[in-house]
Amino acid sequence: MAAPGKGLATLLEVDGYDPYRVYCEEPQAGSWRELRNPVGGQRYWNHVALRLTTWSLVELLRLNGLEEFLLLGEWGVFVVVPEDVKTYEDVTWGLPIYRDDQLKGDPVDRIRRGSVVVSLGFARPGVLELLMPDDEQMVRSVYAPMRAAGKRLVQRLPVRMHNDDIAGTMAITVPMFRIRPENDGKASSNSALVVTVDRDPRSDVLGYVKVCTVVGLATIVGTRAQLGRIPDGPRHLWGGWISFLLLDGTPTLERICEDTENMKLADQLKQHLAEIEALRAAAIANGEDPDEVELPPPPPGLEQEEEEESVHEGPKGTTHPPTRAKVPPEFGMEQRVTVSGGWRQVVDKVWYRPVYIQPLAGRMTWGFNEVIVSGGLDDLLLARNWELCVIDPLSIEDQKDKTFCVKVFSDVSMSGQPIALLPKGRLLVVQVFHKFSQTAMLVLPPSSPGASSAVGFAYYLKRDGRSIFRPMLPQAPVDDGEGRAPDSLPPSALGYPEEPEGPILEGPYFAEPPEGQAEITVSIGQDLESDRWARLPRGYCVRAFAEILGFRARLPDLEGGGWVSLVGADGTPFFRKQPVIPPVLELPGQEGVMDDEDNKLPIIWPGLGLVRPKIPVPVKPYVQATLPNLLYRLGGGRALCDWHRGTLPPSDEYIWRNPLTSSQVLLDALLRYEVWRVAVVQKEDLPLRERPDPRSQQVTILPRGSLVIAEWVAPGNAVRLLLPGKPNDPSPAHVWADIGGHEGALLRPLAPGGDFWVEPRGGHLPEELRRDPDEKNVARLSVRAGLEDGAASAGYLQRGDGVQMAELVGRRARLVHTKKIMPFDTAPNGGWVDLFDEAGWSVLRVRFPGDIHPAELLVKGPAEVEEEEPRPASAAPSTDSLPQGAERGAREDLSTTDLSSEAASELPALLWQLGELEGKSVWTRDWREQVDPVWGQRYFVNKWSGQIVHRLSNMGVACPAVRLTVWFSNLSFEGIREDCQEAGPDEAERRIRSVERALLPPLAALADVDEDRMELNIVEGSQGAADATRGSEDSILGSQDSHEAEGFRVIATIRAPGARSSWASGALKQAMADGEQFTSQMVILMGSLPDFMNMRVDPYGDVALLKADLEELDIPRVATMFVPPPPPPPPPPP
């Protein structure tokens, strides 16, 4: 939590919904991650940037874990709204919550309808783990069921930052919400929610919304929600942001559950009953008979329903509505608003022909196309009179036959030539399955545009009863009682193919739009007229459908949801199913038919006689003898570490050889692949012995801080070390030491980032052997600019210099010079050194806090050293690198810290050094650009402290830029100034600026950058010479002569995003690679500018490009983190 007035949050002076919070606009790349213990399965959280691991849910929420996981979508937000209508209409119902995920016993509490809850995920299938506020321990975890009797009890609200659930946003935008009163529903007079301009709660305040106010939301992102509308509130608050959740999961809003028609009718009846009881009571009080009192008229809803019942009421036995209710069918329809009175099919039991009836219109017809053009396809599929099927035979011979097709005939006798051949995977609509003849009556779509649909007949079963057609839905329950129409066939005469195993036939299905269309439209709702929000391209694969209603199907939530049409209104299929893949029947001689032992015996195979299988000759695969393959084969043990140094005949070079595998490697490879590891001596004196046995003879003693190479750790607390006797020792010794003792670890692995002393003569030697003989014989350690041995020199280091290890690669390390023994810096930029030679001889020693190198006492004396050394415990970070505008505020903060905080004086020296280096990291070379693998967001890491930022401007880091300077001859602005002598100098400057504006777009296109990132100036003479000749440390231009700072020249500066300027210079470098083409392009660009003829000095001379320079530089800028915080918000309204 942030302290008051520190700028991380703004205190809201109202009774409470927005506490102090560490708020972030977007998920952090190095923030919280949820993990599971692989052994016990316990859940814990790890903060990547802070390197903090916690099992405490309270600590996680205090460090902004709720906001992070909601933005990432790992946690969810639900609103308690049951799908079951009866449960929804029960106003006393509440979601039961339990103490454990078994949901046994009585619930500990119930959450009322419309409440908003935070879920940590599924504890087990069907059980949600909810986050509930608690007065004693801040929060607690409870469990609740997700469904009851197959219906959901809660509804999910999409709160991810990058929300792709467009259909799910209807759960936010459609209903209304109410500002939830605090203190168990008792609203205080000054309770309100603050409304800000942006999602950041630190942004400007628009106003306040009091409790119990009804609002509509536009979107929810994390714990913040945007107001879409306030029916009874000021309009200027629309579009503002409020806090939807507190950091402990407490909701500030609750959903308003709208009343259903039954609930409205019940309220009207209660009100009507109350009026009746009041009239009866009044009559009894007056001494009258209450039965003679004239009752008030019924509510409008009841009267209307009575009239409708009287209209539709008819004589008993009438199977059709009366004539006055008949209406003609509507043609040209695809889907009806309601299908309660749509088309129905009845099969004539005499002719076995389907008859179509529309009860609402009172119309009966045998016309098939009349039903199709009036929207009957959707009616009959919804009523389950017709079925959606797929041609997917179950017989293996048909599955293997790639040319298999279903023959469709025009007559039920199935004679003559087929009128159509339907391939496997085809979707089709079946009207009737006849059980005895095993034939199906199909709906054939139009064969050409403008044609009508037709009817065909085909076999849906093979003679042995195996299905050819597969229905997409299980068979609907059949009513064989008196409710069946007297003209229809009995259910025993109707058949059905083999039903799918699940509720819907599994896919996969592939999108195949009809001719003339390239995509299939995906709509939000089941209605065809609902909003369209996506399209499926041709060939798009859908693994399975979640729901099928009529000819519409809902895509699964994992694929984005939404509804698509499986077939058109005329029966044209829009999808194709992949047929079932036949099983592979293995023949004799194939692998996997029998075991290896049985495969050697002869067998008798039907049709082939006695077969003697061929026994394959085992071939040993060749494995290349590389170090990774050897490590994989060996897997550990002494064979990995048992390496000895020897010569490589016929040369004199030395190599490390393994006696077991005979492989040969270098020491750098052993350290890089972590076969051997570098260790640091923690004890003051570490004894080394010849054997693992502690009673063996002692060899030598290693001082504290020595760097050694650990080869192998034995089971008995012993480790084998490499001990060279001299630099580049041809036969270094292998000794043993204890890895730990009663006082703790004696050796620890080396990790980059620590401080070290430079010891060129050997960091593992005693003090008397590390010294230089005299001043003339000083050992130096060469520093390279690159990792390779042949890289350029970057200076040198000598004994007594202090360094920090920035990187460690094998036996080489990249060092940063932090403390110099000489008055000048011999390696200002640091570089790479050999931490060990090939024999294992080290040149560094660990520098512990408070250590003083003996060389400093010889060079500077004890008095000077004592004056310089108080820094490690209490020194404050330097403010030399701060911008001028922020230096005063930073010093005030430092003085406040020194006076008020005692913990600052206890910080180790490394933290102060990291702080100083981070404060001086104002150049782009001190930052590394990375990309978040989850969201693809770019962030930057400081190479000294490891700090992660998303905007370099917050830290005052210079902006990387590229400057292109092009000199031209025979051009000058003097002609324009002479032409504008009468109009004045302002007109001349305006025309010069117009020339610059005209040159900017084509030059930006040549550099392939946006025009907003380019700044272009055309100067001549000494104008702008200081800016043009100023180079930076990252400049490739270097120094310029004085005559190059004059003349007519174009200067274009391009600011690059991120930490590298290669983004801006890539296209320019490629264009400048071809000198002739670049020269001609620039001359043509200059010739197309306005006032070009007036700029020419010699009207008869040519304009030539003299020189073009491209430099990379850093442009300093002031850190935005030092900008003063905004003023406090205004007080709430009375």
Side-chain angles (χ1 to χ4, degrees):
M1 298 297 182
K6 291 301 180 184
L8 290 179
T10 304
L11 176 62
L12 306 179
E13 299 178 358
V14 292
D15 292 345
Y17 294 122
D18 283 84
Y20 292 113
R21 62 177 62 192
V22 183
Y23 184 80
C24 297
E25 284 285 344
E26 52 198 10
Q28 301 299 302
S31 190
W32 288 106
R33 298 294 182 266
E34 184 171 315
L35 305 171
R36 288 277 181 180
N37 187 353
V39 179
Q42 296 90 349
R43 177 182 54 199
Y44 65 96
W45 298 272
N46 181 26
H47 198 288
V48 180
L50 297 179
R51 296 183 180 179
L52 174 65
T53 301
T54 179
W55 278 264
S56 172
L57 185 60
V58 175
E59 184 179 8
L60 173 69
L61 297 180
R62 286 178 177 175
L63 296 179
N64 200 36
L66 176 65
E67 182 82 23
E68 183 73 21
F69 286 123
L70 289 180
L71 291 177
L72 291 174
E74 296 186 10
W75 290 2
V77 177
F78 293 85
V79 59
V80 181
V81 178
E83 282 186 340
D84 185 59
V85 178
K86 293 183 179 180
T87 306
Y88 180 86
E89 293 176 350
D90 185 5
V91 295
T92 62
W93 176 86
L95 178 67
I97 56 177
Y98 300 85
R99 296 185 185 276
D100 55 11
D101 58 356
Q102 300 300 323
L103 307 184
K104 295 181 180 180
D106 297 332
V108 296
D109 199 355
R110 292 183 179 271
I111 304 176
R112 62 182 181 181
R113 292 187 318 152
S115 300
V116 179
V117 293
V118 178
S119 173
L120 279 67
F122 286 94
R124 61 185 184 89
V127 179
L128 286 173
E129 183 179 2
L130 304 180
L131 186 69
M132 299 296 295
D134 189 78
D135 297 336
E136 297 181 358
Q137 54 185 4
M138 182 179 173
V139 290
R140 60 190 176 102
S141 295
V142 295
Y143 302 89
M146 178 72 178
R147 296 177 182 268
K151 298 296 183 67
R152 288 182 296 182
L153 301 178
V154 294
Q155 186 177 8
R156 178 178 172 272
L157 300 179
V159 296
R160 289 179 55 184
M161 181 178 180
H162 301 282
N163 180 28
D164 53 0
D165 187 6
I166 306 300
T169 56
M170 297 180 62
I172 300 176
T173 58
V174 173
M176 303 296 291
F177 292 82
R178 181 188 296 110
I179 306 298
R180 179 173 172 265
E182 56 181 350
N183 300 327
D184 298 333
K186 299 179 181 179
S188 58
S189 59
N190 61 340
S191 297
L193 277 182
V194 66
V195 183
T196 58
V197 177
D198 298 326
R199 187 161 64 90
D200 192 342
R202 300 166 294 184
S203 58
D204 297 337
V205 177
L206 288 177
Y208 300 87
V209 181
K210 287 186 172 293
V211 297
C212 300
T213 304
V214 178
V215 298
L217 302 181
T219 184
I220 300 177
V221 181
T223 60
R224 302 279 288 174
Q226 187 180 24
L227 297 175
R229 58 195 183 280
I230 307 178
D232 299 332
R235 194 176 183 85
H236 74 276
L237 297 180
W238 294 18
W241 290 81
I242 60 175
S243 290
F244 184 72
L245 294 168
L246 300 188
L247 292 185
D248 59 354
T250 304
T252 62
L253 284 81
E254 59 183 2
R255 174 176 166 175
I256 299 177
C257 296
E258 299 81 4
D259 293 342
T260 62
E261 295 296 332
N262 292 336
M263 298 174 69
K264 295 178 182 177
L265 181 59
D267 293 340
Q268 293 178 5
L269 290 176
K270 290 180 181 179
Q271 183 180 1
H272 188 56
L273 181 61
E275 294 176 358
I276 293 176
E277 294 295 338
L279 292 176
R280 290 178 62 88
I284 294 174
N286 296 331
E288 302 175 358
D289 187 3
D291 297 332
E292 296 181 357
V293 178
E294 183 178 0
L295 300 179
L302 296 179
E303 184 178 359
Q304 183 178 1
E305 291 181 1
E306 293 177 358
E307 291 180 359
E308 292 179 356
E309 291 179 0
S310 63
V311 169
H312 294 289
E313 188 177 2
K316 295 182 179 181
T318 304
T319 58
H320 302 295
T323 307
R324 61 179 179 177
K326 293 182 179 180
V327 292
E330 299 183 19
F331 295 96
M333 297 180 59
E334 292 187 10
Q335 188 182 35
R336 300 179 184 277
V337 179
T338 174
V339 294
S340 59
W343 289 102
R344 297 295 183 267
Q345 174 180 276
V346 178
V347 181
D348 190 288
K349 66 180 180 179
V350 178
W351 301 102
Y352 299 129
R353 292 189 58 188
V355 181
Y356 308 102
I357 301 175
Q358 192 177 25
L360 186 61
R363 184 177 180 83
M364 183 176 65
T365 181
W366 278 267
F368 168 73
N369 282 293
E370 179 182 351
V371 177
I372 293 296
V373 299
S374 59
L377 180 68
D378 190 47
D379 295 346
L380 295 170
L381 287 176
L382 283 173
R384 300 299 301 275
N385 295 132
W386 292 0
E387 296 289 344
L388 274 172
C389 296
V390 180
I391 300 177
D392 193 5
L394 296 180
S395 59
I396 298 180
E397 58 271 20
D398 293 337
Q399 293 176 1
K400 291 185 176 182
D401 187 4
K402 298 181 180 180
T403 62
F404 174 83
C405 292
V406 173
K407 297 180 181 180
V408 182
F409 299 88
S410 59
D411 189 72
V412 70
S413 62
M414 312 294 288
S415 60
Q417 295 293 328
I419 60 176
L421 297 176
L422 303 181
K424 289 188 292 185
R426 172 74 176 268
L427 265 69
L428 45 85
V429 180
V430 179
Q431 302 183 44
V432 178
F433 293 102
H434 196 273
K435 183 176 182 180
F436 303 111
S437 62
Q438 298 181 350
T439 58
M441 188 175 181
L442 312 179
V443 176
L444 300 180
S447 58
S448 61
S452 301
S453 301
V455 176
F457 300 89
Y459 290 106
Y460 72 93
L461 294 176
K462 296 180 72 69
R463 292 187 178 182
D464 55 3
R466 289 177 295 179
S467 297
I468 301 176
F469 292 178
R470 298 290 306 280
M472 299 191 68
L473 297 174
Q475 186 176 7
V478 179
D479 185 10
D480 200 9
E482 298 179 357
R484 182 172 50 86
D487 297 335
S488 63
L489 282 173
S492 58
L494 302 178
Y496 204 75
E498 183 175 339
E499 300 183 11
E501 297 179 357
I504 298 176
L505 183 63
E506 293 291 338
Y509 297 88
F510 297 92
E512 286 192 352
E515 296 183 3
Q517 300 181 16
E519 298 171 331
I520 297 177
T521 303
V522 181
S523 56
I524 295 178
Q526 189 263 345
D527 189 3
L528 283 174
E529 300 300 326
S530 61
D531 296 336
R532 294 165 174 80
W533 67 282
R535 295 182 182 273
L536 300 183
R538 183 180 297 273
Y540 183 85
C541 179
V542 179
R543 295 299 175 185
F545 294 105
E547 187 178 359
I548 295 180
L549 292 177
F551 63 78
R552 302 277 287 171
R554 182 168 64 88
L555 299 176
D557 295 338
L558 293 178
E559 299 189 16
W563 290 81
V564 295
S565 297
L566 296 177
V567 296
D570 55 0
T572 303
F574 291 169
F575 284 86
R576 173 182 59 86
K577 180 184 179 297
Q578 177 179 332
V580 176
I581 300 176
V584 179
L585 182 61
E586 297 173 343
L587 297 177
Q590 293 181 341
E591 296 291 338
V593 177
M594 298 170 292
D595 296 334
D596 294 339
E597 296 182 359
D598 297 338
N599 197 21
K600 302 176 183 179
L601 302 177
I603 60 174
I604 299 177
W605 194 268
L608 297 179
L610 185 63
V611 178
R612 295 183 180 275
K614 296 181 180 180
I615 302 175
V617 179
V619 179
K620 186 177 180 180
Y622 171 74
V623 179
Q624 189 177 3
T626 58
L627 185 60
N629 292 336
L630 293 174
L631 298 181
Y632 178 79
R633 293 172 58 189
L634 295 175
R638 181 175 179 178
L640 291 181
C641 68
D642 195 8
W643 301 82
H644 301 276
R645 196 175 191 220
T647 58
L648 181 64
S651 63
D652 296 334
E653 297 180 359
Y654 287 90
I655 202 73
W656 290 91
R657 183 179 294 105
N658 191 302
L660 180 63
T661 61
S662 300
S663 56
Q664 301 171 353
V665 294
L666 296 175
L667 179 64
D668 185 72
L670 293 175
L671 294 177
R672 185 172 300 184
Y673 288 108
E674 297 185 353
V675 179
W676 289 354
R677 297 193 177 186
V678 182
V680 180
V681 177
Q682 291 287 96
K683 190 181 177 182
E684 194 64 35
D685 291 317
L686 178 65
L688 305 181
R689 55 183 181 269
E690 293 181 349
R691 301 295 178 187
D693 191 351
R695 297 169 295 180
S696 59
Q697 184 178 357
Q698 181 174 326
V699 178
T700 183
I701 295 177
L702 289 181
R704 183 185 182 211
S706 301
L707 300 182
V708 293
I709 296 178
E711 303 178 7
W712 180 35
V713 178
N717 193 32
V719 57
R720 194 170 83 164
L721 305 177
L722 183 64
L723 182 64
K726 58 181 179 179
N728 201 17
D729 190 353
S731 299
H734 302 275
V735 296
W736 293 84
D738 292 334
I739 197 172
H742 62 277
E743 65 273 11
L746 305 180
L747 292 170
R748 65 172 176 85
L750 174 65
D755 291 335
F756 298 86
W757 295 113
V758 177
E759 300 288 351
R761 298 188 180 275
H764 61 286
L765 299 178
E767 171 61 26
E768 58 273 10
L769 299 179
R770 294 197 299 260
R771 299 173 184 171
D772 294 324
D774 49 46
E775 298 180 358
K776 298 182 180 180
N777 189 8
V778 177
R780 295 178 178 180
L781 179 62
S782 300
V783 181
R784 303 186 300 271
L787 176 65
E788 299 79 10
D789 291 336
S793 176
Y796 65 90
L797 300 171
Q798 64 184 31
R799 185 171 185 264
D801 285 340
V803 294
Q804 280 186 345
M805 186 178 296
E807 293 183 52
L808 179 62
V809 180
R811 66 179 184 89
R812 299 175 176 88
R814 185 169 62 85
L815 306 179
V816 179
H817 200 186
T818 57
K819 185 179 182 62
K820 52 184 181 296
I821 191 68
M822 301 299 293
F824 53 91
D825 196 348
T826 58
N829 297 325
W832 292 86
V833 300
D834 290 338
L835 182 62
F836 297 95
D837 61 7
E838 276 295 326
W841 188 273
S842 64
V843 293
L844 296 181
R845 184 170 60 89
V846 176
R847 175 187 176 189
F848 293 96
D851 284 355
I852 299 176
H853 199 277
E856 293 185 271
L857 301 176
L858 298 177
V859 176
K860 299 180 180 180
E864 297 181 9
V865 174
E866 291 178 359
E867 293 179 359
E868 295 179 359
E869 286 300 327
R871 183 182 62 88
S874 60
S878 174
T879 58
D880 297 339
S881 60
L882 297 179
Q884 295 179 359
E887 182 176 353
R888 179 180 303 174
R891 290 177 177 174
E892 292 177 359
D893 292 343
L894 291 176
S895 61
T896 303
T897 304
D898 293 338
L899 294 177
S900 60
S901 178
E902 298 179 357
S905 61
E906 300 178 359
L907 292 177
L910 178 59
L911 293 182
W912 285 123
Q913 295 171 5
L914 291 178
E916 291 180 358
L917 293 174
E918 182 182 324
K920 296 178 181 179
S921 299
V922 295
W923 302 108
T924 56
R925 64 173 179 238
D926 296 331
W927 298 85
R928 300 291 184 264
E929 184 175 329
Q930 303 291 340
V931 177
D932 190 348
V934 178
W935 298 103
Q937 183 185 7
R938 181 179 57 193
Y939 62 95
F940 307 93
V941 182
N942 189 278
K943 71 178 184 179
W944 303 115
S945 64
Q947 181 180 4
I948 297 176
V949 297
H950 287 80
R951 294 180 179 88
L952 293 177
S953 57
N954 295 341
M955 304 295 296
V957 180
C959 176
V962 175
R963 177 179 295 161
L964 174 66
T965 307
V966 185
W967 285 265
F968 293 92
S969 64
N970 199 24
L971 290 178
S972 176
F973 287 138
E974 293 300 329
I976 297 179
R977 295 189 178 95
E978 292 177 0
D979 195 20
C980 298
Q981 288 182 355
E982 298 180 359
D986 295 339
E987 177 64 19
E989 291 299 324
R990 186 191 65 80
R991 291 171 63 177
I992 293 175
R993 298 286 84 81
S994 65
V995 173
E996 294 177 348
R997 288 193 298 269
L999 183 58
L1000 178 62
L1003 196 57
L1006 179 63
D1008 195 16
V1009 297
D1010 298 335
E1011 298 180 13
D1012 298 338
R1013 293 192 173 276
M1014 177 176 286
E1015 179 182 354
L1016 188 139
N1017 295 309
I1018 303 178
V1019 297
E1020 62 177 340
S1022 60
Q1023 179 185 1
D1027 294 336
T1029 59
R1030 184 184 60 191
S1032 68
E1033 298 183 13
D1034 291 341
S1035 174
I1036 63 174
L1037 179 62
S1039 60
Q1040 293 179 335
D1041 298 335
S1042 59
H1043 69 276
E1044 294 180 353
E1046 300 179 357
F1048 188 90
R1049 57 197 180 278
V1050 177
I1051 302 176
T1053 305
I1054 306 172
R1055 296 175 179 263
R1060 295 293 177 265
S1061 58
S1062 57
W1063 173 85
S1065 62
L1068 289 176
K1069 289 180 179 178
Q1070 185 177 1
M1072 297 174 66
D1074 190 348
E1076 288 186 23
Q1077 184 177 1
F1078 180 76
T1079 301
S1080 60
Q1081 286 178 344
M1082 295 303 300
V1083 172
I1084 293 174
L1085 290 180
M1086 297 300 297
S1088 60
L1089 296 177
D1091 284 334
F1092 175 72
M1093 300 304 297
N1094 293 329
M1095 290 189 298
R1096 298 178 63 175
V1097 179
D1098 183 4
Y1100 302 101
D1102 296 333
V1103 175
L1105 188 148
L1106 298 178
K1107 184 181 179 181
D1109 282 342
L1110 181 65
E1111 60 174 333
E1112 297 178 356
L1113 65 154
D1114 289 347
I1115 301 178
R1117 52 186 172 185
V1118 180
T1120 58
M1121 61 183 295
F1122 296 109
V1123 177

